[in-house]
Amino acid sequence: DHDRWEWKDYGALDGQWGNLEALLDWCMSGDRVEDFWQLWPWVKGYTQLGGRVMLRKKWLSWASGAFETQQNWTAAAAAYFDLGFTYSNSDTPELLATARAHFDRAWQWCEQCSDESRVDLIVNQFRLAIRQSRAEDASRWLATGWQRESCIQAIASARS
């Protein structure tokens, strides 16, 4: 198990990136979404921080659609969340609107997600609403977080 908040040294990953990219593309071309998803936690930070955003968008677009087709709602929500997060770090209104659409799609299936995933989604919906100057939506997302006992418990446990 890896700590998602721990800073990663991606030096070893840099050296093997060509092989990993080929492997992830092979998963995509062979419709092996479960195999891809097992590898994803280990490379998702690198794809965001290491300048691999276009690949990240390509893979997550495929994975989110594949999980939706399979009706694997928990994985679909996670993939749409990661895709929304990718777009939420953009500066253009069009890309921020795309982030919102992906976050909204993830929220559709969020009841089946872990408390931690729900908190992440609520926080990122709130953050995006603030960036887009949608004060009413930001207030609604904040209220949603506080209304859900499981979210409050997840926030409290994250602080300890």
Side-chain angles (χ1 to χ4, degrees):
D1 194 26
H2 62 281
D3 180 357
R4 70 186 190 129
W5 300 111
E6 184 178 315
W7 183 255
K8 308 286 188 281
D9 175 12
Y10 291 119
L13 201 53
D14 282 332
Q16 293 298 319
W17 182 249
N19 293 328
L20 288 166
E21 182 180 347
L23 177 60
L24 295 167
D25 280 338
W26 174 80
C27 288
M28 191 172 107
S29 68
D31 204 24
R32 301 176 65 92
V33 71
E34 289 83 9
D35 293 331
F36 169 85
W37 206 240
Q38 286 182 342
L39 296 167
W40 183 245
W42 302 103
V43 298
K44 79 180 204 172
Y46 180 80
T47 60
Q48 185 74 35
L49 299 173
R52 314 288 191 206
V53 174
M54 295 308 293
L55 288 170
R56 181 182 170 96
K57 289 176 182 177
K58 174 182 82 168
W59 291 327
L60 287 170
S61 293
W62 162 74
S64 58
F67 285 132
E68 194 170 352
T69 299
Q70 294 176 356
Q71 298 183 354
N72 182 342
W73 306 124
T74 302
Y80 277 115
F81 172 81
D82 285 350
L83 195 52
F85 184 82
T86 303
Y87 281 97
S88 74
N89 291 305
S90 304
D91 290 328
T92 66
E94 297 81 13
L95 294 177
L96 293 175
T98 301
R100 182 179 180 192
H102 291 308
F103 283 155
D104 287 347
R105 195 67 174 244
W107 187 251
Q108 286 180 296
W109 303 300
C110 206
E111 286 303 316
Q112 299 176 28
C113 297
S114 69
D115 291 338
E116 183 179 5
S117 294
R118 277 194 291 269
V119 169
D120 281 347
L121 186 52
I122 289 169
V123 166
N124 278 281
Q125 285 275 36
F126 173 77
R127 180 179 67 90
L128 182 60
I130 295 293
R131 287 194 67 204
Q132 293 179 305
S133 301
R134 295 182 291 114
E136 208 169 288
D137 282 344
S139 180
R140 183 176 55 85
W141 282 111
L142 187 60
T144 299
W146 288 116
Q147 289 169 357
R148 300 171 76 75
E149 183 179 336
S150 61
C151 290
I152 295 168
Q153 290 171 353
I155 292 167
S157 67
R159 289 184 179 167
S160 56

